[in-house]
Amino acid sequence: LQPLQLDVSQFGYAGQHIPHIQTALQRGLPEFAPAIIAHDGTMVMVGSGPSLPTFIEEIRQERAKGRPICAVKGAHDLLCEHGMEPDLFVSVEPRDRRNNVTRKNGRTVYLLASRVAPEVFEHLQDCRVMLWHSYGHEQEVAAINGHAKFAIGGGSTSGLRAIAVCYLMGFRNFVLYGYDSCNTEDGKVKRFDGSQSGLTTDVWVGGRPFICNYAMAAQANEFQLCTYSLLENIHIEAKGDGLIAAILAERKKQGKRV
């Protein structure tokens, strides 16, 4: 079809529009913004559990589907080493953990909670950093009161809090890699980089023991409360044979939603 030959223009002229634009900008209204990443409704969450290296190619297939990847802790650098800069990196860590993001890049959006160590902010100052606020101790909440619209809760670890952050971005389906929340079978190694746990405890799920340090045990304990009890219409799949996957398998056996 041939385009119509029409001579039309918008109503008015620029001189009339400029005062409108200036007045609107002065109203301090929130502005429309596109989603910070493209997606199909499913977020690929990548933690730093010992099982992570076995799933690198599967994660690559997830990216081929057009699904975004959110990394926590050292998973960021491992993915970068394999040519898969994550779309998002989420942290609530108040300690200086620049070692988790040595391969900083221009693709990743670094979603840093305001409680994150200043050294990390400075390390990533030339990257795409977005600030959010972590709900925590009442003194922390008081510190951000008046400066933030809301603070995001969702568990004591970056891994759990990342799920809540992505949920608020509109995601409802999550595929977890490296979210083991337990040590290797020998009870020593806690992360894919070979780092080891100190004090450990046994956590039993489905008649099977999992060896965890206390942070892992707390994360597993909070997992159901901070997801299924608080976030509606969420669906989670965990890859591997770790504690989180076992919890999901047991929930499925009991007819609970996963």
Side-chain angles (χ1 to χ4, degrees):
L1 296 175
Q2 294 296 319
L4 299 175
Q5 300 298 315
L6 299 175
D7 184 13
V8 297
S9 62
Q10 290 181 313
F11 177 81
Y13 54 91
Q16 291 177 309
H17 303 159
I18 290 173
H20 295 186
I21 294 170
Q22 293 173 333
T23 301
L25 291 174
Q26 293 169 1
R27 296 180 187 278
L29 297 171
E31 296 190 26
F32 170 81
I36 60 176
I37 47 172
H39 63 87
D40 68 353
T42 296
M43 176 62 80
V44 178
M45 310 293 299
V46 185
S48 57
S51 71
L52 177 57
T54 63
F55 291 105
I56 291 298
E57 293 310 312
E58 189 168 329
I59 295 172
R60 198 183 304 280
Q61 293 173 15
E62 297 278 13
R63 167 152 286 176
K65 297 176 184 177
R67 291 177 170 173
I69 298 172
C70 177
V72 296
K73 298 189 183 296
H76 172 279
D77 279 5
L78 183 66
L79 290 171
C80 291
E81 289 170 11
H82 287 84
M84 291 184 288
E85 290 86 358
D87 300 277
L88 303 175
F89 172 81
V90 176
S91 179
V92 297
E93 179 59 69
R95 293 169 291 184
D96 181 0
R97 288 290 188 255
R98 284 173 287 179
N99 59 297
N100 287 331
V101 285
T102 63
R103 293 177 176 265
K104 58 183 182 178
N105 62 86
R107 172 173 183 149
T108 304
V109 177
Y110 296 91
L111 292 168
L112 305 182
S114 53
R115 71 197 297 266
V116 166
E119 293 88 349
V120 176
F121 279 96
E122 293 162 8
H123 174 64
L124 297 172
Q125 62 184 341
D126 56 343
C127 298
R128 300 169 65 195
V129 177
M130 294 188 72
L131 184 69
W132 59 282
H133 302 280
S134 170
Y135 186 87
H137 190 278
E138 61 181 10
Q139 292 177 328
E140 292 184 59
V141 175
I144 63 174
N145 189 30
H147 299 279
K149 294 179 181 178
F150 62 92
I152 302 174
S156 59
T157 66
S158 291
L160 289 181
R161 204 65 67 99
I163 293 175
V165 169
C166 293
Y167 181 92
L168 290 175
M169 290 170 54
F171 291 92
R172 295 295 180 268
N173 299 314
F174 295 83
V175 184
L176 312 185
Y177 293 91
Y179 270 66
D180 302 318
S181 204
C182 63
N183 290 347
T184 50
E185 290 187 2
D186 62 9
K188 298 179 180 179
V189 178
K190 64 179 180 178
R191 295 198 182 98
F192 69 84
D193 60 6
S195 56
Q196 299 189 354
S197 290
L199 295 174
T200 61
T201 186
D202 287 353
V203 176
W204 289 77
V205 175
R208 176 185 170 192
F210 293 86
I211 302 174
C212 310
N213 64 23
Y214 289 102
M216 293 172 178
Q219 177 172 260
N221 194 47
E222 295 170 343
F223 172 66
Q224 296 181 85
L225 174 63
C226 295
T227 52
Y228 299 107
S229 297
L230 298 177
L231 306 179
E232 295 182 354
N233 302 316
I234 191 171
H235 172 71
I236 300 175
E237 177 185 2
K239 302 288 186 172
D241 193 33
L243 177 54
I244 297 297
I247 290 173
L248 291 174
E250 191 65 20
R251 285 181 62 89
K252 191 172 183 178
K253 286 181 183 178
Q254 296 177 9
K256 298 180 179 179
R257 64 189 180 95
V258 295

